[in-house]
Amino acid sequence: MSMTILAVDDEPIALDVLCRAVRQAVPGCALSAFTDPRAALEQVKCGALSPDAAFLDVAMFDLTGLELAKLLKDVCAGVNIIFVTGHAEYMEEAFHLHASGYVLMPAQPDAVRRELDDLRHPVKRGEDSRLRVQCFGSFAVFCGDRPLEFSRSKTKELFAYL
């Protein structure tokens, strides 16, 4: 299972630098980058994106990184917020939001890796939660490696029919 990372910065050049640092620090990650914080929030709200970690620029024009962090936590409580900015004075407010980390610009791969290694909400790796249906032999449904228990035989029969 690869880590899903969200990167938001309203400055395209700074976002590009951040994305390169993230890709170097975590080569196998699923990285989604946005210059529009509202578009990023909408992707998380609709369920198209469920980030394990979000790298947010603090000083953005339309919606600040601090405001975006609050909204992201409302939608996705377990997201790890890591603020990326050139302004060290925002650190106090960032920690009041229980951020996982803080990276000063320009983002460097070692700083990104250091923050991802020490997340507030560690990412569970290797957990397979896919649904698997076995039809030959006997009918069974598995969530990961565990068999799904049906409370009634008719429920299992209806599921098999569908």
Side-chain angles (χ1 to χ4, degrees):
M1 174 183 191
S2 70
M3 184 180 279
T4 304
I5 298 176
L6 172 67
V8 183
D9 194 324
D10 61 345
E11 295 178 26
I13 295 172
L15 182 61
D16 186 49
V17 170
L18 174 60
C19 288
R20 273 190 268 128
V22 169
R23 284 191 185 104
Q24 287 177 11
V26 191
C29 74
L31 177 63
S32 298
F34 294 88
T35 54
D36 180 3
R38 294 195 187 278
L41 180 62
E42 193 56 41
Q43 289 295 305
V44 174
K45 278 185 177 179
C46 76
L49 183 61
S50 181
D52 297 311
F55 287 85
L56 309 177
D57 180 24
V58 175
M60 292 187 281
F61 179 71
D62 188 31
L63 186 68
T64 70
L66 297 169
E67 294 167 336
L68 180 58
K70 290 175 191 172
L71 295 170
L72 282 173
K73 283 182 166 262
D74 288 343
V75 177
C76 189
V79 66
N80 291 287
I81 304 293
I82 301 167
F83 291 107
V84 183
T85 188
H87 308 282
E89 64 267 14
Y90 294 114
M91 282 181 111
E92 183 180 349
E93 192 170 351
F95 286 114
H96 286 301
L97 287 170
H98 303 288
S100 290
Y102 201 85
V103 175
L104 290 174
M105 285 185 180
Q108 299 295 319
D110 59 330
V112 169
R113 169 63 28 214
R114 193 171 37 252
E115 294 302 327
L116 290 174
D117 285 343
D118 191 29
L119 293 174
R120 179 177 290 281
H121 306 286
V123 178
K124 294 177 181 145
R125 299 182 192 278
E127 199 175 276
D128 187 7
S129 61
R130 291 180 293 178
L131 189 65
R132 182 172 56 89
V133 179
Q134 174 182 314
C135 296
F136 296 105
S138 63
F139 180 80
V141 180
F142 297 91
C143 185
D145 289 332
R146 295 181 332 185
L148 195 63
E149 298 294 328
F150 292 92
S151 58
R152 295 192 160 92
S153 62
K154 286 291 183 189
T155 307
K156 186 175 182 179
E157 185 179 323
L158 181 61
F159 188 88
Y161 177 75
L162 292 174

